């Protein structure tokens, strides 16, 4: 009961924040979008940390959830007020709404299947593994979490710049350049995370029960790097309006995860879950990248085609 209202407020705030972010993307208000994202990240974490320190006797999870929900709503109200103030007249256009739905419904379907993809490893580990397996896997994800956090922030900032490009060649060139930077940067971060984890285990900061995290962590780190590269290619495909790719890739990988995850977890426990996660993220990347290569190869054969 204590979590119900903060959770509901947080969900509503997230939905409207997502709509506001997409408005900034569509209108190419890059600086305001960057300011909104940076304030949201900074304030949520700062307020949660301060309140957790001041209210140590209270439920920590409830404090973090309430802090996130309140900050989300406050920022939404402030930036929403700026939006209404800067707009002379806001109207709802049914024709644009219908066209928008036809464009993005494949992404909505992909989102449904992505729940299967991203939760299959944990679900199977909870059902077929042990609590120790789950604890090790959660620790590995916590340690690797810095990469998805940085990746999401970079993609939120990078996406508006991609959408400004008017030619496929420039869009592809920027995406390739960004991909190389992500691979190099996140590979270095992954090595540092693994080395730090090894150090913490050797000096007893982590208990010996978590020794298996050393062998699991490389697969989790590899998986989140593959996912970051998939997000970059996701942005490229959005830029060229190839939305249906996500739907078909999501369906194929979702069905594959239903088969692979239970088999690997039953056979290898937490190691199987980490391998399954990495394999599914690699499959997402490979499927979307395969289309990107095919699309650009076809454009070379038919150079007179338009951008999309």
């Amino acid at each position: 009961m204590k979590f119900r209202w903060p959770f509901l407020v947080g969900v509503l705030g997230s939905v409207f924040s997502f709509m506001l972010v997409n408005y900034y993307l569509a209108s190419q208000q890059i600086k305001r979008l960057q300011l909104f994202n940076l304030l949201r990240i900074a304030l949520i974490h700062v307020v949660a940390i301060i309140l957790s320190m001041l209210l140590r006797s209270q439920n920590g999870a409830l404090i973090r959830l309430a802090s996130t929900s309140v900050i989300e709503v406050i920022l939404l109200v402030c930036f929403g007020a700026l939006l209404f103030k800067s707009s002379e007249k806001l109207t709802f256009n049914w024709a644009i709404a219908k066209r928008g739905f036809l464009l993005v419904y494949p992404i909505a379907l992909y989102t449904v299947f992505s729940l299967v993809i991203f939760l299959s490893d944990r679900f199977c580990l909870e059902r077929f593994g042990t609590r120790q397996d789950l604890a090790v896997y959660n620790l590995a994800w916590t340690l690797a979490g810095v990469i998805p956090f940085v990746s999401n922030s970079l993609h939120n900032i990078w996406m508006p710049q991609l959408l400004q490009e008017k030619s496929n060649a420039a869009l592809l060139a920027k995406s390739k350049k960004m991909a190389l930077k992500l691979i190099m940067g996140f590979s270095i971060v992954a090595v540092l995370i693994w080395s730090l984890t090894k150090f913490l285990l050797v000096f007893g900061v982590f208990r010996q029960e978590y020794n298996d995290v050393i062998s699991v962590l490389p697969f989790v780190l590899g998986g989140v790097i593959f996912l970051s590269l998939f997000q970059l290619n996701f942005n490229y495909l959005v830029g060229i309006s190839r939305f249906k790719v996500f739907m078909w890739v999501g369906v194929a990988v979702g069905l594959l995860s239903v088969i692979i995850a239970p088999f690997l977890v039953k056979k290898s426990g937490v190691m199987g879950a980490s391998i399954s996660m990495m394999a599914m993220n690699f499959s997402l990347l490979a499927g979307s990248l395969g289309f990107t290569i095919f699309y650009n190869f076809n454009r070379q054969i038919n150079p007179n085609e338009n951008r999309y």
Side-chain angles (χ1 to χ4, degrees):
M1 180 65 76
K2 291 181 180 179
F3 290 86
R4 179 177 299 173
W5 288 110
F7 177 78
L8 291 176
V9 172
V11 169
L12 290 175
S14 298
V15 170
F16 285 104
S17 293
F18 181 75
M19 294 172 64
L20 183 63
V21 166
N22 280 277
Y23 170 79
Y24 286 147
L25 287 172
S27 59
Q28 298 185 356
Q29 298 184 37
I30 301 173
K31 291 184 177 180
R32 187 162 290 185
L33 171 62
Q34 292 173 345
L35 177 62
F36 178 75
N37 284 327
L38 291 173
L39 284 176
R40 183 164 55 172
I41 293 171
L43 290 177
I44 286 175
H45 288 83
V46 169
V47 171
I49 291 172
I50 293 175
L51 290 180
S52 296
M53 295 176 63
L54 294 176
L55 304 173
R56 293 183 180 180
S57 60
Q58 303 298 320
N59 189 313
L62 180 60
I63 290 174
R64 290 191 295 272
L65 178 60
S67 302
T68 302
S69 301
V70 171
I71 295 300
E72 193 86 51
V73 171
I74 290 175
L75 289 177
L76 181 62
V77 170
C78 293
F79 280 83
L82 291 175
L83 171 62
F84 280 96
K85 185 178 180 180
S86 61
S87 302
E88 295 182 0
K89 185 179 180 181
L90 296 177
T91 59
F92 186 85
N93 190 311
W94 284 103
I96 294 178
K98 182 180 179 180
R99 182 171 177 269
F101 174 78
L102 293 176
L103 285 174
V104 303
Y105 84 85
I107 297 181
L109 292 176
Y110 158 76
T111 303
V112 173
F113 283 95
S114 69
L115 293 176
V116 178
I117 298 169
F118 298 134
L119 295 178
S120 60
D121 52 345
R122 292 180 185 272
F123 174 79
C124 292
L125 196 59
E126 288 182 0
R127 184 171 182 181
F128 305 115
T130 64
R131 289 187 178 182
Q132 181 63 26
D133 289 338
L134 196 58
V136 170
Y137 195 58
N138 286 336
L139 177 60
W141 262 102
T142 300
L143 294 169
V146 63
I147 292 179
F149 177 79
V150 174
S151 174
N152 290 333
S153 301
L154 289 175
H155 288 307
N156 285 336
I157 297 172
W158 182 251
M159 181 68 167
Q161 298 179 29
L162 285 180
L163 293 179
Q164 288 182 347
E165 294 298 336
K166 302 301 181 183
S167 70
N168 178 70
L171 194 64
L172 185 62
K174 280 194 171 185
S175 297
K176 287 181 178 179
K177 187 176 180 180
M178 185 65 171
L180 290 175
K181 290 181 178 179
L182 289 179
I183 292 172
M184 294 177 60
F186 286 152
S187 295
I188 295 173
V189 172
V191 172
L192 292 175
I193 290 173
W194 188 91
S195 301
L196 178 61
T197 303
K198 182 69 174 179
F199 174 84
L200 295 174
L201 282 169
V202 169
F203 286 89
V205 178
F206 292 151
R207 293 182 298 179
Q208 295 301 310
E209 290 86 347
Y210 292 101
N211 281 343
D212 289 342
V213 76
I214 284 298
S215 57
V216 171
L217 192 55
F219 295 99
V220 176
L221 289 168
V224 294
I225 292 175
F226 288 145
L227 183 60
S228 176
L229 295 174
F230 167 71
Q231 289 176 315
L232 178 63
N233 198 49
F234 185 104
N235 293 343
Y236 169 78
L237 292 173
V238 169
I240 61 174
S241 300
R242 291 299 184 267
F243 301 105
K244 289 186 178 180
V245 177
F246 310 126
M247 179 177 66
W248 296 119
V249 171
V251 170
V253 178
L255 295 176
L256 184 64
S257 68
V258 172
I259 300 172
I260 297 297
F263 172 77
L264 290 177
V265 172
K266 287 180 180 180
K267 186 174 182 179
S268 304
V270 64
M271 183 63 71
S274 61
I275 294 174
S276 171
M277 184 276 290
M278 186 181 72
M280 293 307 102
N281 287 347
F282 176 77
S283 299
L284 286 173
L285 175 61
S288 61
L289 194 58
F291 176 84
T292 299
I293 294 172
F294 172 79
Y295 173 80
N296 285 283
F297 178 76
N298 188 55
R299 282 181 59 85
Q300 290 179 356
I301 298 176
N302 303 289
N304 295 325
E305 289 185 359
N306 59 24
R307 178 188 175 192
Y308 300 122

